[in-house]
Amino acid sequence: MVRNYGSEAPVSEQMSLIKKLRERTSAPIKEVKAALVTCDWDIDAAQKDLRKRGVILASKKSSRTAAEGLLALAQNENKAAVIELNCETDFVARNDIFRCLAASLAKLALLVDNSQQLLSTFPIGPEYFEGLKLDVEHPKLRGERTVENAITEVAAMMGENVKLRRGYAMSMSSYGVLSTYLHSSPQPGLGRIASILSLEVEDQNAPLDAVQRVGSELAMHVVAAKPSFLTKELVSTDAINNEREILKSQAEASGKPPMAIEKMVEGRLRKYFEEVVLMEQKFVVNDSVNVKTLLSNLSKEVGSPVKISNFLRMEVGEGLQSLEAAGAPEDLAQAA
C-alpha cells in the first residue's frame, strides 16, 4: 500500500520514495523530488505528475542543440535502414532507454514503404514517422505509443533535448549483396558512424560468398575513407572547377612556368579524385590496389561482373552545429 503523508514525510521515507520513483521513471533526481513534494509524497500521483511535468520540460528543451547521440541500423535480406537519434551529451547516448528507442526507430524505418521511390537509396526524414506507433521494448516504456510521444517521454526521462534528425534506407534492386558496417559500436545495431553498400552481380547463378566478404570489407572502407562520390563521372563540374582553381593558385605560388603549373594541377587533381571518389581510392584493407581493381579481381573470382550500385555513409552530428547556426537545410548522407 502506498502511503500518503499529507505533509512532510520522514527523511528516511523520503529517500526511499525518491529512489523508488527514480527507478520507475529514470527522471532526474531534482524532478523526482519536486513531483513527490507536490503530490504529498504519494508515489503513484507523483509518477503521473512527473510524466506531465516531463512533457512540458521536454518541449522547453527542444530548442537546445543536440549534436551527440547514436546511429541505429536495421537490416533484412533486401533492405537496410539507418537513423540518427540525437541528444545533448554522450552520457545520455550511453543510457539503455535511449539506445532502445534508437534501435526501435531503426526497425520501424526498415518497414517504411518505398515502393513509390524511383531510387534504391532514399531519405527517411522525421516526417515519415508522423502518426506511426512503436513499442520501445524497454521495461520503463512498456506499451505502444506514437514516435513523437516516445521521443518526448525519453527526453523527459533524460532531462535533455532528444531529436530524431534523419534516416536513410537502401534496397536491393537486383541480385547481389547489401553490406553494412558500424564504427564505435557499443552493441549490435548501434554506432557513431555507419555505412551501407550495395554490390550488384550480373549473373544470378554466381556464388555470393566472396561477394559478401568483399562487401563487408568495402562497407568498412567507406567508413574509414569517407568517399563523397562513386565514380569520377559523378563529381560535379562545380566541384572540379573549384578544386582546380585552388590547386592552380597553390601551383602558381611556386613561381614555375605555365606549362609546369598545368602539369602540377593535373597531377594534384588526380590525387583529389583518389581522395574523394570511391572507385579511385586505395583499398584500406590492401592499399596496393584501388577499389576499381578490387572489383575487377572479384568479378574474375566469381565469374561474373560485379559493381557497386550504391553506397552511403553517415556520422553522428556531422555538420549539425554549423547547420543550425546558419539555419540551412542539410544533405542527409553521402550517397551514390
Side-chain angles (χ1 to χ4, degrees):
M1 189 173 92
V2 176
R3 293 180 63 184
N4 186 331
Y5 292 92
S7 57
E8 190 72 7
V11 173
S12 60
E13 292 285 352
Q14 287 182 17
M15 297 306 294
S16 176
L17 288 167
I18 288 171
K19 183 180 178 183
K20 286 178 183 175
L21 187 54
R22 176 116 166 89
E23 287 172 352
R24 282 192 192 183
T25 65
S26 291
I29 290 176
K30 181 181 176 182
E31 300 301 330
V32 167
K33 184 176 180 182
L36 283 164
V37 169
T38 300
C39 299
D40 293 329
W41 298 91
D42 181 331
I43 192 169
D44 290 331
Q47 186 171 349
K48 290 178 184 177
D49 179 74
L50 195 58
R51 193 168 177 182
K52 294 175 186 174
R53 184 196 300 260
V55 169
I56 294 167
L57 288 171
S59 65
K60 288 180 179 178
K61 294 179 177 76
S62 63
S63 62
R64 301 199 313 221
T65 299
E68 285 293 330
L70 284 170
L71 301 178
L73 192 148
Q75 183 176 6
N76 58 31
E77 284 186 13
N78 300 311
K79 187 176 179 182
V82 58
I83 62 96
E84 179 177 357
L85 186 66
N86 293 126
C87 55
E88 296 176 47
T89 64
D90 182 54
F91 178 77
V92 166
R94 295 196 301 269
N95 185 283
D96 62 335
I97 299 174
F98 182 87
R99 290 178 176 183
C100 278
L101 175 61
S104 298
L105 287 168
K107 290 174 185 174
L108 191 61
L110 196 61
L111 301 177
V112 170
D113 179 23
N114 66 308
S115 57
Q116 303 302 314
Q117 297 278 350
L118 297 176
L119 299 173
S120 62
T121 305
F122 60 99
I124 305 176
E127 67 276 7
Y128 280 85
F129 295 88
E130 288 178 7
L132 296 183
K133 292 186 177 182
L134 81 166
D135 191 334
V136 180
E137 299 176 4
H138 191 279
K140 293 176 182 175
L141 278 174
R142 285 195 184 98
E144 202 174 55
R145 57 200 13 97
T146 65
V147 169
E148 184 181 12
N149 285 344
I151 292 172
T152 301
E153 285 187 47
V154 171
M157 289 177 174
M158 301 297 104
E160 287 192 7
N161 182 16
V162 174
K163 185 182 292 186
L164 173 60
R165 180 188 178 195
R166 56 180 177 165
Y168 233 77
M170 186 181 295
S171 298
M172 284 294 298
S173 55
S174 59
Y175 185 67
V177 168
L178 199 59
S179 300
T180 61
Y181 182 75
L182 280 164
H183 184 64
S184 297
S185 179
Q187 64 190 61
L190 299 174
R192 288 188 57 84
I193 311 174
S195 67
I196 307 175
L197 180 134
S198 173
L199 280 175
E200 194 175 296
V201 184
E202 191 172 295
D203 182 359
Q204 298 198 6
N205 295 313
L208 292 179
D209 289 354
V211 180
Q212 287 171 337
R213 184 194 74 244
V214 173
S216 296
E217 292 174 341
L218 279 171
M220 183 176 65
H221 170 98
V222 167
V223 163
K226 300 183 182 181
S228 299
F229 308 94
L230 177 58
T231 65
K232 287 196 290 187
E233 290 72 27
L234 292 173
V235 183
S236 67
T237 303
D238 286 346
I240 293 173
N241 289 341
N242 184 56
E243 189 65 22
R244 191 186 294 275
E245 190 175 318
I246 293 169
L247 294 174
K248 188 176 180 181
S249 296
Q250 292 173 347
E252 285 174 344
S254 67
K256 293 185 177 180
M259 187 75 74
I261 287 172
E262 190 60 32
K263 287 183 179 179
M264 287 171 67
V265 169
E266 291 307 312
R268 290 175 183 177
L269 198 58
R270 282 194 297 273
K271 185 68 176 175
Y272 166 73
F273 286 132
E274 288 176 8
E275 291 174 355
V276 302
V277 176
L278 177 54
M279 294 295 285
E280 306 299 321
Q281 288 179 332
K282 290 183 177 179
F283 186 37
V284 293
V285 177
N286 176 12
D287 63 7
S288 67
V289 296
N290 62 14
V291 173
K292 188 189 297 182
T293 303
L294 175 75
L295 289 177
S296 176
N297 294 340
L298 177 62
S299 299
K300 293 172 185 174
E301 184 178 346
V302 302
S304 173
V306 181
K307 70 174 185 178
I308 299 171
S309 54
N310 288 288
F311 80 93
L312 68 84
R313 181 188 188 277
M314 283 173 61
E315 187 167 348
V316 169
E318 57 189 347
L320 189 59
Q321 289 171 316
S322 59
L323 282 165
E324 288 194 351
E330 61 176 308
D331 292 330
L332 284 173
Q334 300 174 32

